[in-house]
Amino acid sequence: MPLRPLDELDDLEEIGLSRLLPLRGICSTKACRGTARPSGRHCLACHARAVQRYRDRHAQQLAARRRDADALRDDRTRAADSARAKLAMALRRGTMRRGLCQICGTADVMGVVEEPQRWRDVVWVCRRDRDVARERRRDEEAQLAASRERAAWAEERTRVLAAIELLPPDIWARLHALAAQGPAGWTLSPEAPLYMMNLVRVYKASRDRGR
Ligand SMILES: [Zn+2]
Ligand SMILES: [Zn+2]
């Protein structure tokens, strides 16, 4: 597997890497004697230039991504508006009638449409129960996202550790030495969670760069 020296990582990879590996001192740009930002290897001016270079180089992709996001949001808003209008019309025509709150049975209800295409599956709930349900769902989603993230991290860590074990000893040693660099000059022990995060991060950064 090709591996490039870590100091050849380009500035944008360094932005992510630097959060885990705070190295201070002089700007790493050749011939620049500026002071590196506390959280990076480059001075503020070089960092800003790197970000600008990245934006210039990826201008089309960035613009396309923005357009896609806008279009998606517009589609969703339009679908929701249309569902609301159809429901209001059905209520006016009397082809549909409001139900009672499905939680507490009160008659002061609002219609909740989950999927705009299936607006006839409207759920009637009072405002208070709607808020309670919304809150609960937000909690559940947050918990689900957190557990997915934990699982993904555990999987990635296992995969990367296995890959690192197969590296030549000198590269293996270099990655481990980088992983041991904690904040403020601290040396991390291999058991420290940050050590493991560093290790995965420097491995991935050097591998991506070597592609
Ligand atoms: Zn500089
Ligand atoms: Zn209710």
Side-chain angles (χ1 to χ4, degrees):
M1 187 196 45
L3 265 173
R4 287 268 206 90
L6 285 161
D7 42 319
E8 282 185 22
L9 295 178
D10 87 15
D11 295 293
L12 230 73
E13 282 163 334
E14 180 256 331
I15 290 168
L17 191 62
S18 62
R19 233 174 280 141
L20 291 171
L21 291 177
L23 307 168
R24 280 154 217 235
I26 289 170
C27 177
S28 313
T29 303
K30 259 187 206 129
C32 176
R33 307 308 292 162
T35 309
R37 296 178 309 132
S39 60
R41 292 188 302 135
H42 297 267
C43 70
L44 195 56
C46 290
H47 173 75
R49 263 198 298 278
V51 171
Q52 193 55 54
R53 265 203 308 276
Y54 177 85
R55 291 208 181 115
D56 291 348
R57 231 183 298 141
H58 298 85
Q60 279 185 343
Q61 286 111 296
L62 292 172
R65 208 183 296 160
R66 247 191 325 266
R67 271 197 305 277
D68 288 352
D70 287 350
L72 193 64
R73 198 170 40 241
D74 290 352
D75 284 354
R76 260 194 229 126
T77 310
R78 224 172 299 146
D81 288 349
S82 144
R84 239 192 317 274
K86 283 179 194 151
L87 180 58
M89 178 63 81
L91 288 171
R92 266 202 304 279
R93 286 182 176 158
T95 55
M96 270 179 86
R97 279 198 304 169
R98 278 195 175 77
L100 301 174
C101 171
Q102 66 163 13
I103 308 291
C104 70
T106 185
D108 183 13
V109 290
M110 56 198 301
V112 175
V113 174
E114 295 289 351
E115 289 176 60
Q117 296 81 1
R118 291 169 45 197
W119 57 274
R120 283 173 194 282
D121 295 344
V122 57
V123 175
W124 300 106
V125 278
C126 68
R127 187 172 292 275
R128 192 198 51 169
D129 284 322
R130 194 271 318 257
D131 291 346
V132 169
R134 224 181 231 180
E135 188 75 18
R136 193 185 308 132
R137 185 153 54 176
R138 232 174 264 149
D139 284 354
E140 283 168 4
E141 274 166 11
Q143 277 172 24
L144 196 66
S147 81
R148 266 201 217 109
E149 221 166 84
R150 274 195 301 275
W153 162 243
E155 201 226 321
E156 178 171 55
R157 190 182 48 197
T158 308
R159 198 162 39 78
V160 166
L161 284 180
I164 289 176
E165 286 309 309
L166 299 174
L167 292 174
D170 58 324
I171 295 173
W172 185 94
R174 193 148 52 89
L175 291 179
H176 276 277
L178 278 164
Q181 291 175 16
W186 282 43
T187 301
L188 301 169
S189 93
E191 287 76 40
L194 184 55
Y195 184 101
M196 203 48 74
M197 286 167 71
N198 280 350
L199 190 60
V200 169
R201 186 69 75 111
V202 292
Y203 168 78
K204 284 173 64 187
S206 59
R207 181 203 53 191
D208 293 348
R209 187 60 185 165
R211 243 181 226 145

